[in-house]
Amino acid sequence: MPNHPSPPGPASSAVSRRALLTGTAAAAGLGLAGCGSLSGGLSDKTRVKQWNLLAGADGAIMTEMHGDFSAEHPDIDLEATTFGWGTPFYTRLVMGASSGNASDIATIHLSRLKSLSPATLMDPITESELNDHGVAAEDFADGVWEKSFAGGELYAIPLDTHALVNYYNRTVCEQAGVLNPDGTLLETDGVEAYFDLLRAVKDVTGEYGTSLDTFAGWRQFWAWYRQQEGEMTFGDGDYEIDDDKALTAIEIMYRMAEEGLCPTFADGGQCAANFEVGSAGLVQVGNWEINRFRAFNEAQGLDFSMTEMPSFFNGHRYTQGDCHAFVLPRHNTWDTGVREATLEYAAYMLHNSFRWGEGGGHTPAYLPVTESAEYQALQPNAEYSGVVENVQFDPDVWFSGSAARLFDEVGGVLNQVYALATTPEDALAQIKNRIETLLALPSPVD
């Protein structure tokens, strides 16, 4: 199974935990949607309904932050509900928004915004509204802010950046001689320099230099393709891809596996386990895995840190990633008090996102937090905080983005590359064939 951020936990545990906190035992059903929030109702509080897909460790942090918000805003009744990660959540969101009966605010992947038909299923947000709540355009990295627009209107408020990063075992890397005097990983430039680093680490571990999820090869592919400034664009039933740059990215994967610098087969669990038990001195996975490795360190000892992806091409440290972001599902009518309270909630989450980054590993998108002295002193988070500027979103097309089909379809092909079961040339041909098959399908939203 691909290693996604906020992997789905057991549905019953996710719902029961949220139900206990919100008093909405029917949270998993459509009955929660209602007909729109009301200011007042059975109490003097303004009710704000929030939907999210955060069923992993980061979901626990969000629950904690929701409790803090409610304590500081006794006049707002926040009802937060977690649905199944990926397709179950997006299906529920589209169904609710299409009838105007979704939540007041929802947490989505920013890469999925345009696939949700925002002009018809989401309500735009004005910058003046955000300004009124202490949030401004300059508070976000340009690429993240621009991704929040569709058709010239603002539809999303970015909460974080989560991306593919490099974890490293300090003990192993020190023995391999690949640490700086301050204990950070040597920064390499170019493919061969990084391969040399992996070879030195492999000599220490006796097995691999780095571990990675061979089922989630889209992440590495997109990082190394974009570092070459490769573009993938879609429109009018056609698409453009740079074959040479795509082939170069795939060849890196093949070479890494062929030389034994990474596993030829490892799902998400095995990928992380290779790092935990010392079979690999490094691991390329998302920053959301920080809590897993912290727990392992506390239980058995694992002196690790994290840094951004290495630069393979053109001095870029671009990496595949995404953002969690808030959107306002379409309402038939908005109660003024509810909308104000909803935006107050979003602003609170941004202003207090130090806790989000500290506990969940995601890098806050709100730059006043990320660039603060407090956050820059937070380790290992500060070491990879540059992903806010370097994150590369998946291409704009309805079947792309987190929990979408492009990730899985391309990943299935690249898994065979890591397994050395297909050549890079054949893999590229298969990837293009799968993209063309997806292009022939109608968008389920449109």
Side-chain angles (χ1 to χ4, degrees):
M1 177 179 179
N3 189 3
H4 296 300
S6 300
S12 59
S13 63
V15 172
S16 60
R17 181 177 67 235
R18 191 73 60 208
L20 287 170
L21 290 166
T22 64
T24 54
L30 280 171
L32 178 81
C35 297
S37 295
L38 299 175
S39 181
L42 298 178
S43 72
D44 293 332
K45 294 184 176 184
T46 300
R47 184 176 63 174
V48 172
K49 296 184 297 183
Q50 189 260 19
W51 288 0
N52 67 80
L53 71 173
L54 300 165
D58 47 7
I61 301 300
M62 181 166 280
T63 297
E64 176 188 309
M65 294 177 69
H66 285 171
D68 294 340
F69 172 83
S70 295
E72 295 181 33
H73 298 80
D75 57 330
I76 298 176
D77 179 16
L78 178 65
E79 295 185 353
T81 308
T82 301
F83 294 109
W85 191 92
T87 300
F89 170 80
Y90 286 110
T91 300
R92 184 63 56 84
L93 179 60
V94 168
M95 289 173 61
S98 63
S99 60
N101 291 327
S103 60
D104 300 307
I105 189 166
T107 308
I108 69 164
H109 295 104
L110 192 52
S111 64
R112 296 295 297 270
L113 176 62
K114 292 183 180 178
S115 71
L116 294 175
S117 188
T120 56
L121 296 180
M122 302 293 142
D123 281 333
I125 307 159
T126 67
E127 291 189 48
S128 62
E129 284 182 302
L130 292 184
N131 295 162
D132 290 343
H133 291 274
V135 178
E138 56 267 26
D139 293 333
F140 304 91
D142 290 344
V144 171
W145 182 246
E146 291 167 5
K147 192 74 174 176
S148 303
F149 285 77
E153 292 196 274
L154 177 66
Y155 284 100
I157 307 171
L159 173 62
D160 65 39
T161 296
H162 50 274
L164 184 69
V165 295
N166 236 354
Y167 295 74
Y168 58 97
N169 181 318
R170 280 202 183 98
T171 303
V172 170
C173 288
E174 182 179 25
Q175 294 175 28
V178 296
L179 293 184
N180 293 305
D182 64 356
T184 58
L185 188 69
L186 288 175
E187 185 173 333
T188 58
D189 187 22
V191 177
E192 295 308 320
Y194 189 69
F195 271 42
D196 284 343
L197 183 149
L198 294 184
R199 292 178 185 115
V201 173
K202 176 180 168 67
D203 286 343
V204 174
T205 66
E207 195 159 357
Y208 307 120
T210 188
S211 185
L212 44 79
D213 183 349
T214 64
F215 289 85
W218 169 262
R219 299 193 194 283
Q220 281 82 13
F221 169 79
W222 192 242
W224 298 331
Y225 181 69
R226 289 294 297 133
Q227 285 191 11
Q228 299 172 76
E229 300 177 6
E231 300 283 352
M232 189 181 295
T233 57
F234 295 83
D236 297 327
D238 201 359
Y239 75 105
E240 291 186 8
I241 183 173
D242 189 315
D243 286 2
D244 291 339
K245 292 175 180 177
L247 186 60
T248 296
I250 298 170
E251 285 173 340
I252 293 170
M253 301 177 178
Y254 192 92
R255 284 184 55 205
M256 191 178 292
E258 185 179 40
E259 195 172 329
L261 298 176
C262 72
T264 55
F265 178 92
D267 60 14
Q270 184 60 49
C271 164
N274 287 335
F275 182 64
E276 290 169 335
V277 302
S279 296
L282 293 88
V283 62
Q284 290 181 3
V285 289
N287 51 14
W288 55 87
E289 291 286 9
I290 188 173
N291 285 319
R292 170 173 178 152
F293 296 139
R294 280 173 173 165
F296 192 89
N297 178 43
E298 291 175 2
Q300 301 190 43
L302 175 65
D303 184 11
F304 77 93
S305 190
M306 303 155 67
T307 186
E308 291 187 70
M309 285 286 280
S311 165
F312 278 7
F313 304 99
N314 304 317
H316 295 314
R317 300 193 78 172
Y318 293 159
T319 186
Q320 188 272 347
D322 207 337
C323 292
H324 291 116
F326 297 118
V327 295
L328 308 185
R330 185 177 66 83
H331 281 47
N332 295 326
T333 58
W334 268 103
D335 178 278
T336 302
V338 171
R339 189 174 177 96
E340 280 297 303
T342 297
L343 291 172
E344 175 60 25
Y345 160 78
Y348 176 91
M349 297 298 284
L350 264 61
H351 294 153
N352 292 275
S353 55
F354 177 89
R355 179 61 186 133
W356 183 243
E358 176 190 38
H362 304 316
T363 301
Y366 188 63
L367 294 180
V369 168
T370 307
E371 295 176 349
S372 68
E374 183 184 21
Y375 191 85
Q376 289 302 311
L378 183 65
Q379 293 299 329
N381 306 63
E383 193 177 340
Y384 63 88
S385 62
V387 297
V388 172
E389 300 288 348
N390 287 321
V391 63
Q392 302 295 297
F393 292 94
D394 293 353
D396 278 334
V397 65
W398 71 263
F399 50 79
S400 179
S402 295
R405 290 189 61 178
L406 184 65
F407 182 104
D408 292 332
E409 293 287 343
V410 174
V413 175
L414 296 177
N415 180 48
Q416 295 303 300
V417 173
Y418 282 122
L420 307 178
T422 189
T423 66
E425 292 79 7
D426 286 345
L428 178 57
Q430 291 180 51
I431 288 171
K432 294 174 70 173
N433 180 263
R434 295 197 181 194
I435 290 174
E436 289 160 10
T437 299
L438 290 171
L439 270 174
L441 300 175
S443 166
V445 174
D446 296 340

